[in-house]
Amino acid sequence: NKILCNYCNNTRTQPFDIAYSTFIDYINKNEDLILHQRFIDFQKIYGDEFEEQQRNLFKYFVKSIGCRLAHFKHKIPKDLIDLLNQDTFQTGLVITFAVNEDKALARNNKISIDAVGNGDLFHYEDSILNYEYSEFYKWLHIFYYYNNIPRSTLGSEWIANKQCIYLGNFTSNLTNADRQKLLMDESITK
């Protein structure tokens, strides 16, 4: 069950995939710094091409949510399809980034965590179409809001229009016993 044709997935969207790979490589090499500062500077990732490359990164995320919507047979908003071919665009999609504090704590204590995953896709269709979706890479969670207001604690709003993004934070649904074990492990290592 293909969502994108081979040409689109392998050639047309390749710059988006490269921008994402570069982003993830930066996350991997700079985890301590990012977790300490709580922001990501696209110029440090992409150099002088940060404006173009953050647009490509945004388009990667558009491709990601588009594939997720198609997988569940939801309507893909036209502005998301259109912006893949545009250098400047307007969209109903806003993305935020946040640190899962429990996963960051587990990472600091060398406790294994899931590396990559998807959250639930929420679909609301009142007078306008809107979605909420999330995915994660290690402790970094990416939240998607289409025609919806982002939760303020989950980071600054981003639509490929800022040099820096500020990371929000939240905690998982860990049991108190699991969280206490992480805290005990942290106090032992200090």
Side-chain angles (χ1 to χ4, degrees):
N1 187 358
K2 282 188 167 182
I3 295 171
L4 289 174
C5 70
N6 283 334
Y7 172 77
C8 288
N9 197 41
N10 296 324
T11 304
R12 184 169 164 239
T13 64
Q14 187 177 30
F16 314 158
D17 298 340
I18 292 169
Y20 178 75
S21 293
T22 303
F23 176 73
I24 292 301
D25 187 48
Y26 179 83
I27 298 296
N28 286 332
K29 290 178 180 172
N30 296 281
E31 286 184 271
D32 291 335
L33 177 68
I34 295 166
L35 286 168
H36 175 73
Q37 292 182 335
R38 299 301 171 116
F39 71 88
I40 296 172
D41 183 339
F42 288 116
Q43 190 166 30
K44 290 196 187 302
I45 300 172
Y46 300 115
D48 292 340
E49 297 179 351
F50 80 90
E51 289 183 34
E52 176 186 356
Q53 293 307 316
Q54 76 165 315
R55 281 193 305 273
N56 284 337
L57 179 64
F58 189 83
K59 291 175 183 183
Y60 173 89
F61 291 129
V62 168
K63 181 174 119 174
S64 180
I65 192 172
C67 288
R68 198 77 176 152
L69 291 170
H71 176 77
F72 289 110
K73 299 186 180 4
H74 289 295
K75 180 180 178 183
I76 300 172
K78 184 177 180 337
D79 67 304
L80 296 184
I81 296 166
D82 291 345
L83 76 77
L84 295 174
N85 294 316
Q86 299 170 339
D87 289 333
T88 60
F89 49 81
Q90 290 186 332
T91 181
L93 179 66
V94 173
I95 295 175
T96 65
F97 298 82
V99 174
N100 180 322
E101 298 295 349
D102 292 324
K103 288 183 179 180
L105 184 59
R107 172 207 169 268
N108 290 340
N109 288 294
K110 313 249 185 291
I111 296 170
S112 177
I113 57 173
D114 290 336
V116 178
N118 298 306
D120 293 326
L121 172 67
F122 297 99
H123 169 241
Y124 313 96
E125 197 163 354
D126 299 325
S127 59
I128 61 167
L129 182 66
N130 63 55
Y131 299 105
E132 281 187 38
Y133 170 62
S134 68
E135 58 190 30
F136 66 88
Y137 179 75
K138 297 181 178 181
W139 43 264
L140 182 66
H141 285 242
I142 300 103
F143 294 92
Y144 299 75
Y145 303 90
Y146 186 81
N147 285 338
N148 220 327
I149 298 171
R151 285 177 261 159
S152 61
T153 59
L154 297 179
S156 59
E157 296 180 13
W158 178 67
I159 51 172
N161 61 341
K162 296 180 175 123
Q163 180 178 328
C164 296
I165 50 172
Y166 295 90
L167 307 179
N169 67 352
F170 68 100
T171 57
S172 301
N173 293 322
L174 287 180
T175 65
N176 285 336
D178 288 342
R179 187 169 286 115
Q180 189 62 35
K181 180 182 180 329
L182 287 174
L183 292 172
M184 286 178 55
D185 289 346
E186 183 178 41
S187 66
I188 291 169
T189 60
K190 286 187 175 179

